[in-house]
Amino acid sequence: REVTAQLNAETTLFIISSKTFGTLETLKNAQAARSWYLAKGGTEEKLYRHFIAVTSNRQAAVEFGIREKNIFPMWDWVGGRYSLWSAIGLPIALAIGMANFKDLLSGAYDMDQHFLNAPFEHNLPVLLAMLGVWYHNFWGAQTYAFLPYDHYLRNFVKHLQQMDMESNGKSVRQDGTPVSCTTGPVIWGGVGCNGQHAYHQLLHQGTPLIPADFIVPVVSHNPVADHHEWLYANCLSQSQALMQGKTRAEAEAELRAKGLSAGEIERLAPHKVIPGNRPSNTLVLEIINPHRLGALVALYEHKIFVQGVIWGINSFDQWGVELGKELGKNVYNRLTSYEAEPAEDSSTQGLIDHFR
């Protein structure tokens, strides 16, 4: 609503991206967009000029009012989290230009070929996957942090969260038997230079073991004085601190050099000890551009697949997501109907009653 308040209906094109053309959130927004267009003087006859669809369900798109020739098809077996390379990437292509989108695809293809052909001991997705399994299953690491040191990658972790946790958050193997080990670590993180003043404390001195991937470019798109040198230095110093830590003797020597008394040194030194030996990877890119970004995304796609194979799970379904969608319809009916059956549990019913 805030976006359309700034738009001119005559010059606005809506792209409805939905594999099934049945996802509730997408359809509700699509219906709101169509209502807005019609309210601004648009007509059903001219609807085709302002709405196109990316979907595998052509019939549903046509019934919505989109012309057949305005539908970009996609395969029904492509999961949403792996679909940016398909026609779902149309908004990306419009935003960055088709040449850049082809570079994105080219970078992903290069990583595909590397994954397909490189021996395991030099295969980046395999190495990252095995490190993840090692720390998760053998050292008890329940979460994994991703720390990109570049503002242009500020949303990268959000993409990884869906890609990894929706793929490998499973407790049943492909053959239907329960898994015998833990799967699917919690994925989190954010831009490193911000995290240094927030959750990096937990990485350095917290009790949980949290492996981390640092991602940093050598060249900045916006060089300002020596800012990027400091950014790069911060990235390396954080990974170095995780690795080396600080001993009690080093902490005491540091405090002694500052002229503190023996009592103060005894009091403060334990708090300044950093265990070290915390694992991390550092991925260095020349510069953040479409080709390298494509390779980076594909790298983690293949890593997730490898881990799914090792755990024996299906990385390409998401039945847990489906249950929430089904129950949502029941809750909605109970919120809006005057003679609805009570909810299956008293907790949900209490929340429904509060809303009503």
Side-chain angles (χ1 to χ4, degrees):
R1 186 165 182 179
E2 290 179 359
V3 170
T4 52
Q6 309 298 321
L7 297 179
N8 176 358
E10 191 176 5
T11 58
T12 299
L13 174 71
F14 291 100
I15 304 170
I16 304 171
S17 300
S18 177
K19 183 174 70 173
T20 62
F21 221 83
T23 302
L24 178 66
E25 299 94 320
T26 309
L27 273 183
K28 297 302 289 185
N29 280 330
Q31 290 161 2
R34 183 172 62 183
S35 297
W36 173 82
Y37 164 72
L38 294 173
K40 290 293 184 178
T43 63
E44 294 283 355
E45 294 74 27
K46 297 292 179 64
L47 191 75
Y48 74 94
R49 292 186 175 182
H50 298 271
F51 285 83
I52 61 178
V54 181
T55 184
S56 62
N57 190 345
R58 287 173 172 267
Q59 186 56 40
V62 169
E63 290 172 1
F64 180 86
I66 297 174
R67 287 196 175 181
E68 185 87 17
K69 66 178 183 179
N70 287 3
I71 298 172
F72 291 76
M74 63 177 294
W75 298 288
D76 60 5
W77 46 262
V78 176
R81 57 196 177 279
Y82 298 106
S83 65
L84 71 91
W85 322 108
S86 71
I88 287 288
L90 177 61
I92 303 173
L94 290 175
I96 67 176
M98 200 62 204
N100 283 324
F101 186 69
K102 288 181 177 178
D103 278 347
L104 186 80
L105 298 179
S106 174
Y109 178 78
D110 285 349
M111 184 57 68
D112 292 347
Q113 293 304 304
H114 167 78
F115 177 51
L116 186 65
N117 298 310
F120 283 171
E121 61 268 27
H122 301 297
N123 194 301
L124 284 175
V126 172
L127 291 172
L128 285 180
M130 298 308 295
L131 283 168
V133 169
W134 175 241
Y135 294 127
H136 185 61
N137 295 117
F138 294 88
W139 287 92
Q142 295 297 304
T143 78
Y144 209 110
F146 290 88
L147 310 169
Y149 274 72
D150 192 279
H151 184 67
Y152 290 115
L153 292 177
R154 62 192 178 277
N155 291 317
F156 186 63
V157 179
K158 295 178 183 178
H159 185 64
L160 286 179
Q161 284 177 321
Q162 184 196 6
M163 203 160 67
D164 198 309
M165 292 194 285
E166 193 169 65
S167 295
N168 289 346
K170 311 289 170 60
S171 55
V172 177
R173 293 170 56 87
Q174 293 237 33
D175 61 7
T177 60
V179 297
S180 57
C181 62
T182 56
T183 67
V186 173
I187 304 300
W188 63 280
V191 176
C193 49
N194 295 335
Q196 288 175 195
H197 305 284
Y199 43 77
H200 281 221
Q201 169 63 36
L202 179 69
L203 300 178
H204 290 296
Q205 287 187 305
T207 54
L209 174 70
I210 304 175
D213 279 9
F214 292 87
I215 306 169
V216 62
V218 173
V219 179
S220 170
H221 284 287
N222 300 290
V224 179
D226 59 355
H227 285 206
H228 193 68
E229 286 80 359
W230 274 113
L231 186 78
Y232 195 87
N234 270 278
C235 178
L236 270 56
S237 65
Q238 288 293 308
S239 64
Q240 185 180 27
L242 286 172
M243 177 176 61
Q244 291 184 342
K246 182 185 290 185
T247 66
R248 174 68 179 259
E250 289 171 333
E252 290 179 353
E254 182 182 282
L255 294 169
R256 198 174 297 114
K258 292 182 178 179
L260 271 68
S261 67
E264 282 292 285
I265 292 173
E266 182 68 21
R267 184 180 69 84
L268 286 174
H271 300 283
K272 294 178 74 67
V273 173
I274 298 173
N277 199 30
R278 302 288 173 96
S280 70
N281 304 309
T282 302
L283 284 74
V284 182
L285 294 79
E286 183 70 20
I287 191 170
I288 304 295
N289 61 19
H291 188 274
R292 290 177 175 88
L293 180 61
L296 189 66
V297 173
L299 166 66
Y300 285 111
E301 285 187 349
H302 296 312
K303 170 205 165 182
I304 291 162
F305 165 73
V306 172
Q307 290 181 333
V309 170
I310 292 169
W311 290 325
I313 59 179
N314 184 352
S315 300
F316 303 102
D317 63 21
Q318 55 282 329
W319 296 112
V321 176
E322 300 302 321
L323 174 61
K325 291 180 180 179
E326 294 166 12
L327 294 176
K329 296 174 184 176
N330 296 333
V331 173
Y332 175 81
N333 290 333
R334 292 184 174 105
L335 290 174
T336 57
S337 172
Y338 282 102
E339 297 182 358
E341 293 291 320
E344 294 83 357
D345 63 275
S346 58
S347 173
T348 303
Q349 186 61 48
L351 294 167
I352 289 170
D353 292 342
H354 179 73
F355 181 89
R356 290 175 63 100

